[in-house]
Amino acid sequence: MRSTWNQFRPKKLQVTGALGLVIALLVAFVLNWLPGIGETFRAAFMFDPTLGKPWTIFTYPLAFPGAQFFFFLIMCWWLYQVGRMLEPSMGMWTYVASFAVFSLLGGIGVAIGDAVFSGKAIAGIGLPVAAMTVLWGARYQSEVVRLMLLIPIKGVWLAAITAALVFFGYGDGNPLIGAFALLPLVAAWFYGTDKIPFMRFGQVPSVADARVKKKDTAEFHTYIDKVRERETERKERERLRALFEDSLEDDDKSDD
């Protein structure tokens, strides 16, 4: 089995939103890292479980406490890869808006869990990226990717594994908080499977369709090349015939 990313490689993809989102996150990561500025930046955007800063229920993906550079790069790479598959059919603004909505739903879920069960704060892009992964898995349930670049796994199982990681990761010490953290993932699944009537996802071309289209395009170009080759041969025959006829006329003139 081949990786989905190797199978689906159109020449042109609309990934402006995914690329812009990754760039914005990179800028935020640098601001978190800068001495002096980083502390102020994190204080302004990190999730506040007391809701003393209500906007942080939405902005926590921009705060990166601690050394998370390698994890952050992996998440950004994956977010871009998901965008390569989803954004062409979703559109730039819908893709970016989905990330923002999932961030908000994650903040709401964890805030409820924190208020009821005295949970813990969240920061970073892990939760919204997990929701985008589930969204991809909902749309491409039978397609195969390679987990850790080695293990082939279908989209539906990737979504399930992602949900399990979120549940156990955020529910450490209190499983109910992990359950509340699944709110954006549940929304992503229903959205991706078109189970939300007023939020239709739109038609996403499958990887198999992309391969068929690529094959048809290759066959068309092969056909065009053969037509051009035959046309070139025809012109060459006409040129040789004309030369032959001219040589006959010259022989007749010389005989006269």
Side-chain angles (χ1 to χ4, degrees):
M1 289 182 289
R2 298 179 181 177
S3 168
T4 293
W5 311 120
N6 292 329
Q7 294 172 353
F8 186 68
R9 288 183 176 177
K11 293 183 179 180
K12 293 183 179 179
L13 279 176
Q14 180 187 347
V15 291
T16 308
L19 182 60
L21 189 57
V22 169
I23 292 174
L25 292 171
L26 285 169
V27 172
F29 188 89
V30 171
L31 291 175
N32 277 267
W33 174 80
L34 290 176
I37 298 177
E39 293 181 2
T40 303
F41 191 87
R42 285 192 297 272
F45 292 101
M46 186 179 295
F47 178 76
D48 180 5
T50 66
L51 296 184
K53 300 174 183 176
W55 63 86
T56 62
I57 201 172
F58 173 77
T59 61
Y60 65 88
L62 300 176
F64 302 96
Q68 301 180 359
F69 183 67
F70 184 68
F71 174 76
F72 171 75
L73 288 182
I74 292 176
M75 290 294 99
C76 285
W77 174 83
W78 178 249
L79 185 63
Y80 179 76
Q81 295 299 331
V82 168
R84 291 180 66 241
M85 295 291 285
L86 296 178
E87 188 179 341
S89 57
M90 294 178 69
M92 178 181 69
W93 293 114
T94 304
Y95 181 80
V96 175
S98 296
F99 182 89
V101 169
F102 294 148
S103 299
L104 179 61
L105 290 176
I108 292 174
V110 175
I112 294 173
D114 184 87
V116 178
F117 305 107
S118 297
K120 46 191 175 183
I122 53 174
I125 59 176
L127 199 51
V129 170
M132 298 301 289
T133 302
V134 171
L135 177 60
W136 180 88
R139 295 305 298 178
Y140 293 96
Q141 297 184 31
S142 60
E143 302 302 339
V144 176
V145 295
R146 291 193 177 274
L147 191 64
M148 301 177 64
L149 303 179
L150 294 174
I151 306 172
I153 182 173
K154 290 186 176 181
V156 62
W157 290 111
L158 180 62
I161 291 174
T162 301
L165 291 174
V166 169
F167 175 75
F168 289 106
Y170 287 89
D172 183 21
N174 194 327
L176 290 176
I177 297 177
F180 277 102
L182 291 175
L183 178 61
L185 279 66
V186 172
W189 179 265
F190 280 101
Y191 179 36
T193 53
D194 280 335
K195 297 294 178 60
I196 303 178
F198 56 90
M199 290 180 63
R200 293 298 181 186
F201 188 93
Q203 195 67 29
V204 179
S206 68
V207 175
D209 292 339
R211 289 199 299 269
V212 170
K213 184 177 180 180
K214 184 177 180 180
K215 180 180 178 181
D216 292 343
T217 302
E219 290 178 351
F220 174 75
H221 286 304
T222 301
Y223 171 76
I224 292 298
D225 290 339
K226 289 182 179 179
V227 170
R228 290 174 178 171
E229 184 178 349
R230 287 196 291 268
E231 180 66 15
T232 302
E233 291 175 353
R234 184 186 65 79
K235 290 181 179 179
E236 181 64 16
R237 286 196 297 269
E238 290 180 353
R239 186 182 70 83
L240 293 175
R241 185 183 298 110
L243 289 174
F244 179 72
E245 291 174 352
D246 290 342
S247 65
L248 290 177
E249 292 179 359
D250 292 341
D251 290 340
D252 291 340
K253 290 178 180 180
S254 61
D255 292 338
D256 293 341

